[in-house]
């Protein structure tokens, strides 16, 4: 029995093809999804980790941005450009400005989590590693040595656009954040989302691929400091939507926003933390007698892509509709892992958009309830390194890429011309 299970898993990994029984052979979406490749996706993540944790305001962050831009151009993604904004890094020890009051949360199952969620079940404390010396790899420690300069200076996002053939004045935004923290490689948070967006930019930009509506691929900076890059974009460009410029040119520098799809932490869904055991098999307790928990070592077989929207946003109804469209796209086109829809989207670059346009985020776990309960031990830690993820982890990210590619291709109206 065990060997049959192992064999079927091996086969599923070897042939990540779409469900042939439900998808016609000439379906252009299936053809595009078929171009997503696990090794290519992994290679893009690996390349991003060459820039360490890509902390905002540092040379390693700017070098990563340069590399991403060069890649987007090499894919043929048009109109590659940067959006500039100012960011102020406070002196160390300065109390942080208070964020807007959170969304009321919490049910009977556990304490309240972020975004309106409830923290059910076993939990592990979470936090951000701020100690460069916590990185045991000396080479990586040296790569991450430069701190963010204190004071106000310029930061940049980078984006490129697939221009719609029929409705160039309307677009979907497909995005992720390229900065990271924690003094590791920021492989999962958010190399995994950045690579996903880059892979989609590559496939949609290939000769012969045509979409009726535009798609903009954006890599945000300063997500980790409070969504500053995405907020600057909304601030600078929301009033330019749908304006033809120059008049009569047929060019729309900021097409009207139809939907915003963010990707952040795509790989790791090992499930709820399990009891931490000592050598005698007894559960470890801390100094106060509290039982300790630890993340399971393997991707769980029932891992899923979590599609979230925010139920108290002004665009909640449109966002829910968008979320379910993506769930349906996953059902039809993803090769291995399913998707689930949740309504507590929080702490992500789609937040500044959510009152203006239908907005969703795709993740490995629900951000409030699951990541908030400590399901990912690498989150903002020096262990968020490429080498700490398995092919089963990377495959979850690839399935999220299949989901977004198919979802956006359907909504934007895709055609693939015969060569
Ligand atoms: Zn992130």
């Amino acid at each position: 029995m065990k060997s049959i299970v192992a064999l079927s898993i091996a086969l599923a990994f070897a042939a990540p093809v779409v469900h042939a029984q439900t998808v016609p052979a000439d379906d252009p979406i299936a053809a595009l999804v078929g171009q997503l490749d696990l090794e290519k996706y992994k290679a893009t993540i690996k390349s991003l980790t060459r820039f360490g944790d890509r902390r905002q305001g540092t040379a390693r962050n700017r070098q990563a941005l340069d590399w991403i831009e060069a890649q987007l151009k090499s894919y043929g993604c048009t109109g590659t450009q940067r959006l500039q904004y100012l960011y102020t890094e406070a002196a160390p020890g300065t109390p942080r400005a208070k964020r807007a009051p959170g969304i009321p949360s919490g049910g009977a199952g556990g304490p309240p989590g972020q975004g309106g969620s409830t923290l059910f079940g076993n939990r592990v404390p979470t936090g951000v590693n701020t100690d460069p010396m916590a990185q045991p790899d000396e080479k990586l420690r040296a790569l991450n040595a430069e701190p963010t300069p204190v004071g106000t200076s310029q930061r940049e996002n980078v984006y490129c656009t697939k221009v719609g053939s029929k409705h160039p004045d309307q677009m979907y935004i497909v995005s992720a954040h390229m900065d990271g923290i924690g003094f590791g490689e920021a492989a999962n948070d958010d190399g995994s989302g950045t690579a996903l967006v880059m892979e989609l930019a590559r496939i949609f930009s290939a000769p012969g691929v045509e979409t009726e509506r535009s798609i903009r691929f954006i890599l945000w900076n300063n997500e980790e400091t409070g969504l500053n890059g995405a907020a600057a974009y909304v601030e600078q460009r929301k009033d330019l939507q749908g304006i033809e410029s120059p008049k009569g040119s047929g060019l729309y520098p900021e097409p009207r926003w139809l939907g915003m799809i963010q990707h952040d932490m795509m790989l790791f869904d090992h499930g709820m933390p399990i009891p931490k055991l000592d050598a005698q098999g007894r559960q470890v307790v801390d100094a106060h007698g509290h039982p300790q928990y630890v993340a399971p070592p393997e991707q769980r077989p029932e891992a899923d892509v979590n599609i979230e929207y925010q139920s108290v946003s002004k665009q909640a109804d449109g966002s829910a509709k968008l979320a379910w469209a993506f769930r349906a796209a996953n059902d039809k086109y993803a090769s291995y892992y399913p998707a689930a829809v949740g309504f507590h989207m929080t702490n992500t670059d789609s937040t500044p958009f959510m009152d203006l346009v239908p907005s969703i985020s795709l993740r490995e776990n629900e951000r409030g309830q699951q990541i908030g309960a400590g399901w990912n031990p690498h989150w903002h830690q020096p262990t968020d390194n490429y080498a700490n993820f398995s092919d089963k982890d990377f495959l979850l990210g690839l399935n999220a890429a299949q989901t977004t590619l198919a979802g956006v291709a359907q909504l934007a109206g895709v055609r693939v011309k015969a060569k």
Side-chain angles (χ1 to χ4, degrees), residues 99 130 184 242 257 266 301:
R99 285 195 193 179
T130 56
W257 305 343
M266 311 313 297

Side-chain angles (χ1 to χ4, degrees), residues 77-143:
C77 193
T78 51
T80 304
Q81 54 185 295
R82 300 193 183 195
L83 180 130
Q84 277 104 16
Y85 58 95
L86 293 175
Y87 178 74
T88 303
E89 178 77 11
T94 313
R96 267 199 157 197
K98 278 215 174 76
R99 285 195 193 179
I103 293 150
S105 57
Q114 288 178 295
S117 64
T118 300
L119 302 181
F120 288 96
N122 304 337
R123 300 194 304 279
V124 174
T126 61
V128 177
N129 172 50
T130 56
D131 177 13
M133 296 308 287
Q135 176 51 256
D137 179 334
E138 280 177 35
K139 245 174 102 180
L140 184 52
R141 199 192 302 158
L143 185 60

Side-chain angles (χ1 to χ4, degrees), residues 147-215:
T148 300
V150 169
T152 301
S153 50
Q154 186 179 277
R155 303 282 189 276
E156 293 181 314
N157 304 317
V158 65
Y159 61 89
C160 66
T161 310
K162 170 82 184 170
V163 178
S165 57
K166 204 166 164 187
H167 304 288
D169 59 326
Q170 305 171 12
M171 74 172 174
Y172 289 93
I173 295 171
V174 173
S175 63
H177 72 87
M178 52 72 63
D179 67 311
I181 49 174
F183 297 98
E185 292 179 335
N188 186 47
D189 186 10
D190 187 22
S192 64
T194 298
L196 183 160
V197 171
M198 292 173 69
E199 289 298 284
L200 263 55
R202 180 176 63 79
I203 290 169
F204 277 108
S205 302
V209 179
E210 198 179 287
T211 58
E212 292 185 354
R213 294 174 181 79
S214 300
I215 307 169

